[in-house]
Amino acid sequence: MFISIRDGMLSSAGYPTMAAGLRGVGLTSVELSVDREMAAPPVQSPFKDLVKLNSKAAIAAYQAALAHDGFSVCALLLANDFARPDLAQEIQWVVRCAQLAKTLGCNTVRIDAIMRAQGWSEEQCLKVFADAMKQVIAATEDIGTQFGIENHGARGNEPSFLKGIIASVGSPRLGVTLDTANFYWSGKPLSVVHEIIHELAPFA
C-alpha cells in the first residue's frame, strides 16, 4: 500500500514545516499544493514562506530539498475553477502544473470540481468543464499526465456530473480523486455513499 499526505494536513496539524510534518507522521511522500503563481509550500521553511517553482533553478533547488530527507511529491493539488473569466489562462496554468509535476517526478494532478458560476445550469457547467479538460489533455499528450477530479462542492459530489465529464472527455488519463468523506459531508446517507463509491471506483 502506498500512503501519502496533503501538505495542508501537516500544516493544520501544527507542524512548523513540511519536512517536520512528514517525519512526524512517518511518511515520505506529499501531495503538493501549487497556486496560480506557481508557488508551493517549502520543504524546510515555515509553510507560509511559499516558494515559486517558476524556473529551472528554483525547481532544482526544491528537488534537492526533497531529496535531502528522502521525500518525494506524489501529486500536485490544484484549486482550479473553470468558471473563471480568464479561462484560457486557467487552462494554461493547469498545463504548466502538469509539466511541473513531471519534472518533480510524479505524473498526477488533482483537479477541483468546484465552479464558482452564478446562474449556470449543470449542463453548461459540465460542457465548460469538459471542454477545458479536453484542452488540458491535448496539451499534455506528450507527457501523459493523469488528472483526477476531486468531488468538491454540491455539484462536484453528484456522480452524474463527474461521470458526465469523464464520458465527454473520453480519455483514460482523466478520472476521479475519490474522496469518500466529501460524499458523506455533502448530505448523502452512508448507504448512498457506499453505492457511489462502488459506482465510481473504476474511475479512481
Side-chain angles (χ1 to χ4, degrees):
M1 179 182 293
F2 176 80
I3 302 175
S4 65
I5 191 168
R6 284 179 53 175
D7 51 21
M9 298 292 186
L10 298 173
S11 175
S12 297
Y15 289 105
T17 66
M18 190 160 66
L22 286 171
R23 287 193 294 267
V25 298
L27 295 176
T28 59
S29 192
V30 66
E31 182 183 13
L32 188 69
S33 56
V34 179
D35 68 16
R36 291 178 180 82
E37 301 300 318
M38 301 304 291
V43 180
Q44 302 288 351
S45 303
F47 281 97
K48 62 181 179 60
D49 299 332
L50 299 180
V51 292
K52 289 191 176 181
L53 304 178
N54 56 0
S55 69
K56 289 183 178 179
I59 296 171
Y62 201 85
Q63 289 175 304
L66 289 167
H68 181 270
D69 285 317
F71 298 147
S72 66
V73 175
C74 65
L76 296 192
L77 181 153
L78 307 187
N80 57 280
D81 179 0
F82 290 139
R84 288 171 63 95
D86 55 344
L87 179 57
Q89 293 181 31
E90 192 80 347
I91 292 171
Q92 290 173 6
W93 167 56
V94 174
V95 171
R96 193 175 180 189
C97 286
Q99 295 165 341
L100 173 61
K102 187 73 171 182
T103 304
L104 290 175
C106 63
N107 204 28
T108 303
V109 173
R110 190 221 62 172
I111 297 294
D112 206 331
I114 289 179
M115 299 177 73
R116 294 169 179 83
Q118 297 295 326
W120 288 21
S121 66
E122 180 169 337
E123 292 73 20
Q124 184 178 4
C125 286
L126 196 155
K127 183 181 187 308
V128 171
F129 199 118
D131 287 349
M133 281 310 305
K134 287 176 184 178
Q135 294 181 58
V136 170
I137 291 289
T140 57
E141 197 67 46
D142 59 330
I143 56 177
T145 312
Q146 299 179 98
F147 299 92
I149 306 171
E150 179 96 4
N151 47 298
H152 274 171
R155 185 173 286 114
N157 274 290
E158 291 303 323
S160 60
F161 182 71
L162 297 171
K163 290 195 301 181
I165 293 170
I166 292 169
S168 180
V169 175
S171 170
R173 292 168 46 217
L174 178 65
V176 295
T177 303
L178 193 56
D179 191 317
T180 57
N182 282 346
F183 288 123
Y184 186 55
W185 290 335
S186 71
K188 296 174 175 59
L190 279 178
S191 59
V192 173
V193 171
H194 292 161
E195 293 174 1
I196 291 173
I197 292 170
H198 181 79
E199 187 179 1
L200 293 179
F203 304 106

